[in-house]
Amino acid sequence: MSWGTELWDQFDNLEKHTQWGIEVLEKYIKFVKERAEIEINYAKQLRNLSKKYQTKKNSKEEEESKYTSCKAFQNTMNEMNDYAGQHEVISENMTSMIMAELTRFVQELKQERKSHFHEGRKAQQHIETCWKQLESSKRRFERDCKEADRAQQYFERMDADINVTKADVEKARQQAQIRHQMADDSKGDYSSVLQKFNHEQQEHYHTHIPTIFQKLQDLEERRITRLGDSLKTYAEIDRQVIPIIGKCLDGITKAAESINSKQDSQTVVESFKSGFEPPGDIDFEDFTQSMKRTVSDTSLTNNRADVKSDPKTPGKSRGKLWPFIKKNKLMSLLTSPHQPPPPPPASASPSAVPNGPQSPKQQKEPLSHRLNDFMTSKPKIHCFRSLKRGLSLKLGATPEDFSNLPPEQRRKKLQQKVDELNKDLQKEIDQRDALTKMKDVYMKNPQMGDPASVAQKLIEIGSNIEKLRVEVQKFEGWLAEVEGRLPARNDNSRRQSALYETQNTAPVNNCAQDRESPDGSYTEDQSQETEVKVTPTEFDDDFDDEEPLSTIGSCKALYPFDGENEGTISVAEGEILNVIEEDKGDGWTRIRRNEEEEGYVPTSYIEVYLDKTAKDS
């Protein structure tokens, strides 16, 4: 059916309908625009979420990424990032393929519709003008006919009246003839205008209006077809990203399947394994020997040596002895400072102080000594090196040889450093070889370049290679040292206690030989210092009923001490305090200010006055 033949008289309704159709298209464009905004906002939120939980560089999370579960989670975040990218694609395609195209199409429709209706209104105005002309000609013809009829009747009355002169009759006759002539002219004009109007009306309703309405029908059909195509495009845009979204979901599934609990457990072992052997059995201490000893300066040492050398004394598990150690002694072991005491601020030597640590170290009682060894597990270096390292660790600096790590972790770090240096060294060598070939080419073909232009670069690369080789040798030496000190992986029979016994029996002096700090750490040349912190509160519940250590003397502070390290206490110059534990040869003395404040201070910073009775007891 054609709008031109079926709706020839519905010009106004067609105008309203076509306007409604354009509004429907604009409504769909607005819908697609809002959908695109939702997609882009959703993609943005997904990306922000993925970025929020991505592993941060140079952070603790980067260390955690070596676990398969963490890797799977990070892979999931990467897939979610790609997933968000597909929603961005949806938004971009809807904006470019639907919104932009339909907006341009609507503008074209509006212009075309405006043109068609302008032609229609023009045709209507023309037919209305023709109709007005026809009506005007018709009225004029009607008027002339009436006037001719009246003139004819007047003439007949004048001609029948005998009292009227001949001249009046002749005048009336002439007037009637004029009116009849005017009526005939009006009739002809009316007939001509009528024929013209009928022709124009025929053209209007059978040619012009059908043509215009047909154009409007085509416009409306194109609008409807375009809307259907846009709906298909809308679906295709979503359908195109479904395979990629499926791959993202497959990637998440694959990441989940890659999680290996056994491998993560092994990674934990590799990350935290110290390389130390478990401690050996604790020797039995026969305190009955003290009943037979005589009062002498060496009786205590002799009896302890006899106990240690007795092969028949049964061994006990060290771990089972922990709960039976008095709380104050255990706390003194766990809360003591983790580095050697600092030197006095004055220029005077420690030997000038009455109680300075210049005498050989006294032997600790074996049980507390061995427990302290186990809780801290620190090798030996000289006291000056320990002091330097303690200050560097306090300032947050990491030693170049990673000596602050346990042996196994230090070995891994050194191996990693060696691998990195070898990679850098290989890069420099490859660059040197390439420049050398370039220099040879320049020497053979001077027109290609100046050989001297690469000479300086070769010198710099050679210097870098030598520096890297020195670094590699240095770290390989440290690595060989660590690998030589590590115990055999399957040598379970080797006992750590023997090593501790050897270290504990060696004679030492102040800063000239090996020293032991209050926390049980040891220092030794070409070795490392490992710090194992144990929170004292782990044992608080078992020892709440223990009484504090008794006072064994008093002391006077010779120098001010800040007491910034854990287990230490700050003192002011000239302050008088109570002594509760004397120097064990490590350079630290434990003091108490009141019932609440106690801690360690360097022995060289104070002058100690011990109570002889308390000391003997």
Side-chain angles (χ1 to χ4, degrees):
M1 292 184 180
S2 174
W3 287 7
T5 58
E6 302 295 334
L7 303 174
W8 61 271
D9 59 344
Q10 299 297 322
F11 184 89
D12 293 337
N13 289 333
L14 288 180
E15 185 178 14
K16 293 178 182 179
H17 177 76
T18 52
Q19 178 63 31
W20 170 83
I22 292 177
E23 290 176 356
V24 169
L25 202 57
E26 289 177 338
K27 184 187 295 185
Y28 178 68
I29 293 174
K30 186 177 180 181
F31 160 75
V32 175
K33 179 181 179 181
E34 292 182 1
R35 166 71 193 279
E37 290 176 353
I38 290 174
E39 291 292 340
I40 196 67
N41 290 334
Y42 180 55
K44 183 179 180 180
Q45 291 178 2
L46 282 180
R47 286 194 182 276
N48 291 337
L49 182 66
S50 176
K51 183 179 179 181
K52 178 180 178 181
Y53 289 96
Q54 283 283 2
T55 300
K56 306 297 186 299
K57 291 185 177 180
N58 300 325
S59 66
K60 183 180 178 181
E61 294 179 0
E62 191 173 11
E63 294 293 329
E64 297 174 354
S65 62
K66 57 190 174 182
Y67 299 102
T68 58
S69 57
C70 295
K71 289 180 180 178
F73 180 69
Q74 293 305 316
N75 291 335
T76 301
M77 294 299 99
N78 294 333
E79 296 296 342
M80 289 304 298
N81 197 41
D82 296 339
Y83 184 87
Q86 297 310 306
H87 286 278
E88 290 177 348
V89 171
I90 291 176
S91 177
E92 293 172 359
N93 290 340
M94 286 187 175
T95 302
S96 61
M97 299 174 65
I98 298 180
M99 282 180 54
E101 294 294 331
L102 284 185
T103 302
R104 184 167 55 252
F105 179 69
V106 166
Q107 295 299 326
E108 294 174 357
L109 287 183
K110 288 181 177 180
Q111 292 295 331
E112 187 176 352
R113 174 181 174 276
K114 181 179 179 180
S115 175
H116 294 332
F117 279 102
H118 178 71
E119 293 179 3
R121 290 189 182 91
K122 188 177 180 181
Q124 282 187 337
Q125 291 175 357
H126 178 71
I127 198 66
E128 288 176 359
T129 301
C130 293
W131 171 256
K132 290 178 180 179
Q133 290 177 357
L134 177 62
E135 287 293 323
S136 176
S137 177
K138 180 180 177 180
R139 286 193 299 269
R140 186 171 62 252
F141 173 58
E142 182 181 8
R143 184 179 66 250
D144 289 344
C145 288
K146 289 179 179 180
E147 290 179 356
D149 187 49
R150 285 194 299 268
Q152 183 64 31
Q153 291 177 2
Y154 178 74
F155 166 71
E156 290 177 354
R157 285 196 306 269
M158 291 293 290
D159 187 39
D161 190 0
I162 58 175
N163 296 320
V164 178
T165 63
K166 187 177 179 180
D168 291 335
V169 173
E170 184 64 25
K171 183 177 179 180
R173 186 182 63 81
Q174 290 179 358
Q175 188 66 29
Q177 289 178 352
I178 291 174
R179 291 298 178 183
H180 278 289
Q181 184 64 38
M182 290 178 62
D184 291 339
D185 292 342
S186 297
K187 181 180 179 181
D189 185 54
Y190 171 66
S191 177
S192 175
V193 171
L194 179 60
Q195 289 179 1
K196 181 180 178 180
F197 174 77
N198 289 334
H199 176 74
E200 292 294 338
Q201 184 175 253
Q202 183 73 17
E203 290 291 328
H204 177 78
Y205 287 110
H206 294 85
T207 302
H208 296 312
I209 290 299
T211 301
I212 293 172
F213 282 8
Q214 187 62 41
K215 291 179 180 179
L216 290 174
Q217 183 179 357
D218 294 340
L219 180 145
E220 181 68 10
E221 290 176 355
R222 282 190 287 114
R223 178 193 69 80
I224 296 172
T225 303
R226 190 60 174 270
L227 180 59
D229 294 340
S230 298
L231 291 174
K232 290 181 181 179
T233 304
Y234 179 86
E236 286 297 326
I237 289 174
D238 274 342
R239 186 177 289 110
Q240 287 174 359
V241 301
I242 288 177
I244 303 179
I245 290 178
K247 290 182 179 179
C248 293
L249 299 178
D250 293 340
I252 295 175
T253 303
K254 185 178 180 181
E257 293 174 350
S258 67
I259 296 177
N260 189 331
S261 58
K262 298 296 184 182
Q263 182 178 346
D264 284 356
S265 299
Q266 182 62 29
T267 304
V268 173
V269 174
E270 295 175 356
S271 299
F272 301 109
K273 183 179 179 181
S274 65
F276 292 125
E277 286 286 340
D281 296 336
I282 297 176
D283 295 333
F284 177 76
E285 301 180 36
D286 190 0
F287 291 100
T288 58
Q289 296 292 333
S290 61
M291 299 169 57
K292 303 176 182 180
R293 65 184 179 89
T294 59
V295 178
S296 65
D297 293 338
T298 60
S299 60
L300 179 59
T301 305
N302 294 335
N303 288 332
R304 288 180 179 174
D306 293 339
V307 172
K308 291 183 180 180
S309 61
D310 186 5
K312 296 181 180 181
T313 56
K316 292 185 179 181
S317 173
R318 177 174 302 180
K320 294 182 180 180
L321 290 176
W322 288 2
F324 304 103
I325 303 175
K326 287 189 177 294
K327 176 181 178 181
N328 289 316
K329 179 181 291 187
L330 183 61
M331 291 304 102
S332 69
L333 296 176
L334 298 178
T335 61
S336 59
H338 295 281
Q339 66 224 22
S347 59
S349 62
S351 59
V353 182
N355 296 89
Q358 68 268 12
S359 59
K361 180 177 63 176
Q362 299 178 2
Q363 289 287 336
K364 281 189 175 182
E365 55 178 306
L367 180 59
S368 62
H369 190 151
R370 297 288 296 280
L371 175 63
N372 202 11
D373 289 344
F374 177 71
M375 299 301 291
T376 58
S377 301
K378 292 188 177 180
K380 291 184 177 181
I381 61 171
H382 277 135
C383 62
F384 288 118
R385 186 176 179 184
S386 176
L387 175 60
K388 180 180 179 181
R389 181 166 299 147
L391 293 175
S392 65
L393 291 178
K394 180 179 177 181
L395 295 175
T398 302
E400 185 182 13
D401 58 352
F402 304 106
S403 57
N404 60 319
L405 299 176
E408 183 67 21
Q409 302 303 316
R410 185 189 180 201
R411 181 188 65 80
K412 291 180 181 179
K413 287 289 185 180
L414 289 173
Q415 184 64 54
Q416 181 180 357
K417 186 67 175 180
V418 169
D419 294 339
E420 292 176 358
L421 290 173
N422 284 329
K423 287 182 181 179
D424 295 340
L425 179 61
Q426 187 61 40
K427 288 181 181 179
E428 294 291 336
I429 292 176
D430 294 341
Q431 188 175 1
R432 182 193 62 183
D433 295 342
L435 288 177
T436 302
K437 292 179 180 180
M438 183 183 297
K439 183 178 180 181
D440 294 340
V441 171
Y442 287 169
M443 293 179 67
K444 294 179 181 178
N445 301 292
Q447 67 275 10
M448 297 183 65
D450 184 12
S453 61
V454 296
Q456 183 64 30
K457 186 65 176 177
L458 283 173
I459 295 175
E460 295 178 1
I461 293 177
S463 176
N464 293 338
I465 290 175
E466 291 300 323
K467 293 179 180 178
L468 288 173
R469 283 176 176 169
V470 171
E471 289 292 317
V472 169
Q473 292 177 359
K474 178 173 65 175
F475 280 93
E476 284 180 346
W478 285 333
L479 179 61
E481 173 190 347
V482 173
E483 290 178 344
R485 290 179 177 273
L486 284 176
R489 299 296 177 93
N490 54 359
D491 186 11
N492 296 327
S493 61
R494 184 174 181 178
R495 298 177 56 176
Q496 188 74 11
S497 59
L499 176 61
Y500 289 145
E501 197 68 31
T502 303
Q503 293 175 344
N504 295 339
T505 56
V508 292
N509 286 327
N510 266 343
C511 301
Q513 296 181 357
D514 299 333
R515 304 249 336 245
E516 174 187 344
S517 62
D519 60 352
S521 61
Y522 295 91
T523 57
E524 178 184 359
D525 283 344
Q526 299 179 347
S527 67
Q528 65 280 1
E529 179 177 284
T530 305
E531 179 175 339
V532 179
K533 295 183 179 179
V534 179
T535 306
T537 57
E538 294 178 7
F539 305 99
D540 285 350
D541 295 338
D542 296 332
F543 308 109
D544 287 339
D545 297 332
E546 295 295 335
E547 296 182 358
L549 294 175
S550 59
T551 301
I552 62 174
S554 61
C555 66
K556 178 181 179 182
L558 301 177
Y559 312 102
F561 180 66
D562 294 334
E564 296 177 350
N565 294 331
E566 181 181 359
T568 61
I569 184 174
S570 60
V571 296
E573 183 177 356
E575 186 177 3
I576 305 298
L577 304 105
N578 296 325
V579 178
I580 58 176
E581 184 179 345
E582 62 179 332
D583 188 357
K584 300 297 184 179
D586 51 18
W588 296 89
T589 300
R590 190 176 182 185
I591 64 174
R592 177 185 295 152
R593 178 176 285 112
N594 49 49
E595 294 299 326
E596 299 294 334
E597 295 183 70
E598 63 181 45
Y600 287 89
V601 295
T603 306
S604 57
Y605 277 55
I606 59 175
E607 183 176 3
V608 180
Y609 309 96
L610 293 179
D611 185 2
K612 181 174 178 59
T613 305
K615 182 176 180 180
D616 293 338
S617 61

